[in-house]
Amino acid sequence: MDKNSFALSPPMGWNSWDCYGASVTEQELIRNADYMAEHLKKYGWEYIVCDIQWYEPTANSSHYHKFADLCMDEYGRVIPAPNRFPSAADGNGFRPIADYVHGKGLKFGIHIMRGIPRQAVAANTPVKGTAYTARDVAHPNSICCWNTDMYGLDVTKPGAQEYYDSIIELYASWGVDYIKVDDICVKYARTNDESTLAYGGDEIELLHKAILKCGRPIVLSLSPGPAMVDQAAHLRENANMWRITNDFWDDWSDIMEMFGRCNDWSPYVSPGCYPDCDMLPIGHLAIRGCEHGVYERQTRLSQEEQRTMLTLWCIFGSPLMIGCELTDMDDWTKALVTNEEVIRLLRNGRNAHQVLRTYDLIVWQAEDDENHYVALFNTINWPDEFAVSLSQLGLSGSYRVHDMWTGEELGEVSERLTARIDAHDAKLYCLKKS
């Protein structure tokens, strides 16, 4: 199996975290799947992803309960909490929900933490199919600084690969198409001494091998971030997606920071290998969330800022994961995420790169077999006139200009593109040779 064949274009879907934190329920997954199937699937949206702690019965927000009792099978593998996911009772796991999602023509994903439950280590559960136990494979000093559920695995110990094989085998049997693995994509402390930091690449390799063994094409997404550019080759070899930022939220400063991250990572985008800008915090957010002390709300990003975000994500080639409650999405937001031309650029564009960055203007460029694409971003707090010459874009001759957000034909240019752009807004143009 070739892991790059699992995602020939950037995955597009919905993730429960921005709405429900750790507390999403079966009913909420199903209603968002229904909405996606009816309204978004035809535009390329297809993944329904259940984020963290679906195995924690008392989860009620984006705040984690320390050392909570987790639902777990006899082999130390977490399983869905039946009070939140009733169809998972009697050993069904996520199979009924995955079957429902598949029946809608969609795909189903889950979030996991790297490693093995501390609860499994305390009980010393067996590693399925081996003579080893949880205590044999756990690395008790490899812990997550923000969640108490897991120990990392000691990859030098026999049974570590087999443990990851066993959980991926279980998820494949449920029909999972996408796995977001957390606490694995950045440097982390292997001991309590923060000076001994290590990249989680050894466990990434175990997960990659387990997926290739399971016989099911499962997209591997790594979090959180920022991922390290010096590990790009390793990430591209073992994963389909890796976060290039910490959690991204609805604040203009997060978008400004992302321009630099995309510039750093643009050489590493290719089919099956996607630096990930994180979720799209649009629409109705934080229904049961408390991130950064900000609670239930409509996105704090202006419409112009949301258009800038989508323009950057799509010309760069990031996966797209909507963060809002889909079922109350307003018409403007729906139009934003169903622009067929912009999505076509995401799926078919290549060679994306930053052309220019000044104090007030950022310019990106990409191409496909027939067209050139140019994005102009106004990063200042007031509207202004901007221009970029064709020579700066490495182009010569005459081009017909099409505005991809408005659908307008803007005539021909032979020297420069000019545009008046509102504060924090973007223009996205398709240039076709005359």
Side-chain angles (χ1 to χ4, degrees):
M1 298 176 75
D2 175 10
K3 66 95 178 170
N4 290 343
S5 69
F6 302 166
L8 294 176
S9 61
M12 299 169 57
W14 174 84
N15 179 293
S16 61
W17 173 258
D18 281 5
C19 288
Y20 300 107
S23 70
V24 71
T25 65
E26 179 167 347
Q27 181 183 28
E28 289 155 349
L29 291 178
I30 293 301
R31 77 178 183 220
N32 280 279
D34 288 344
Y35 183 94
M36 181 177 287
E38 182 176 355
H39 299 284
L40 303 180
K41 182 178 72 170
K42 64 182 178 181
Y43 300 98
W45 299 94
E46 60 178 348
Y47 288 93
I48 295 292
V49 181
C50 180
D51 211 88
I52 192 168
Q53 286 199 318
W54 36 268
Y55 40 82
E56 209 277 74
T58 67
N60 58 6
S61 74
S62 57
H63 175 73
Y64 306 116
H65 300 155
K66 292 182 179 180
F67 305 105
D69 290 330
L70 311 180
C71 295
M72 190 178 73
D73 73 5
E74 68 269 31
Y75 298 114
R77 303 177 298 184
V78 290
I79 56 177
N83 64 315
R84 293 169 51 197
F85 307 96
S87 69
D90 302 319
N92 289 323
F94 273 131
R95 184 83 221 189
I97 294 178
D99 285 348
Y100 184 88
V101 170
H102 293 155
K104 293 283 183 175
L106 305 173
K107 296 181 179 179
F108 181 64
I110 60 174
H111 172 292
I112 65 171
M113 296 292 292
R114 72 175 174 92
I116 189 167
R118 297 187 190 189
Q119 185 176 314
V121 177
N124 204 23
T125 56
V127 175
K128 185 175 184 288
T130 77
Y132 305 110
T133 67
R135 293 179 191 171
D136 293 325
V137 301
H139 195 317
N141 287 327
S142 178
I143 58 176
C144 176
C145 66
W146 45 266
N147 179 278
T148 57
D149 293 344
M150 303 288 182
Y151 290 123
L153 292 187
D154 186 340
V155 302
T156 68
K157 296 296 180 63
Q161 179 68 65
E162 288 81 358
Y163 179 75
Y164 271 136
D165 291 349
S166 75
I167 63 171
I168 299 300
E169 175 188 59
L170 179 63
Y171 305 151
S173 76
W174 291 343
V176 169
D177 306 293
Y178 174 111
I179 298 176
K180 174 183 174 182
V181 186
D182 215 335
D183 192 41
I184 202 167
C185 194
V186 293
K187 291 183 179 181
Y188 61 89
R190 282 194 178 279
T191 72
N192 292 328
D193 178 1
E194 291 188 0
S195 67
T196 58
L197 294 170
Y199 167 60
D202 44 12
E203 289 190 74
I204 293 172
E205 290 180 19
L206 297 192
L207 284 157
H208 170 61
K209 292 174 184 176
I211 288 173
L212 294 185
K213 289 177 185 177
C214 80
R216 183 176 182 82
I218 298 176
V219 169
L220 179 58
S221 169
L222 306 178
S223 286
M228 295 166 284
V229 176
D230 61 6
Q231 295 294 339
H234 187 265
L235 290 163
R236 285 166 53 84
E237 183 178 352
N238 290 283
N240 299 110
M241 300 165 48
W242 51 91
R243 284 261 297 277
I244 62 174
T245 179
N246 205 331
D247 286 3
F248 179 91
W249 280 103
D250 50 333
D251 188 280
W252 174 247
S253 64
D254 283 9
I255 296 177
M256 285 301 298
E257 183 180 14
M258 194 61 65
F259 280 108
R261 297 193 186 281
C262 290
N263 185 42
D264 291 342
W265 280 100
S266 60
Y268 305 104
V269 180
S270 64
C273 301
Y274 305 108
D276 178 13
C277 296
D278 199 20
M279 285 178 278
L280 299 169
I282 58 178
H284 186 187
L285 302 172
I287 293 170
R288 290 194 297 277
C290 54
E291 290 296 289
H292 309 295
V294 185
Y295 295 83
E296 184 171 5
R297 62 192 182 277
Q298 292 293 319
T299 182
R300 295 174 296 171
L301 297 174
S302 68
Q303 291 185 352
E304 294 80 8
E305 290 166 347
Q306 292 175 69
R307 186 160 42 239
T308 284
M309 177 175 62
L310 261 292
T311 301
L312 178 60
W313 269 231
C314 288
I315 198 167
F316 169 68
S318 172
L320 301 182
M321 289 289 159
I322 296 172
C324 69
E325 170 62 41
L326 297 180
T327 60
D328 59 11
M329 181 183 289
D330 63 29
D331 290 341
W332 187 91
T333 305
K334 182 180 175 184
L336 181 76
V337 299
T338 57
N339 183 303
E340 294 181 88
E341 294 183 58
V342 177
I343 291 172
R344 191 178 305 119
L345 167 60
L346 172 73
R347 299 175 75 86
N348 298 328
R350 61 175 185 268
N351 300 329
H353 60 281
Q354 179 179 287
V355 174
L356 174 69
R357 181 166 186 167
T358 67
Y359 78 96
D360 58 354
L361 176 66
I362 298 174
V363 179
W364 274 71
Q365 184 177 8
E367 63 189 25
D368 61 20
D369 290 339
E370 299 179 353
N371 308 300
H372 293 275
Y373 300 92
V374 181
L376 282 67
F377 302 94
N378 176 5
T379 61
I380 54 178
N381 297 330
W382 57 88
D384 212 339
E385 298 280 347
F386 298 93
V388 58
S389 68
L390 293 189
S391 62
Q392 287 175 295
L393 301 170
L395 304 177
S396 60
S398 296
Y399 291 84
R400 301 192 305 276
V401 181
H402 175 77
D403 187 320
M404 296 171 65
W405 281 117
T406 67
E408 295 178 274
E409 300 296 337
L410 302 179
E412 289 192 2
V413 297
S414 57
E415 294 184 3
R416 66 180 59 84
L417 282 170
T418 60
R420 180 171 179 80
I421 309 176
D422 288 336
H424 297 182
D425 205 350
K427 294 290 186 180
L428 180 60
Y429 298 127
C430 174
L431 275 60
K432 188 179 292 287
K433 191 77 171 179
S434 296

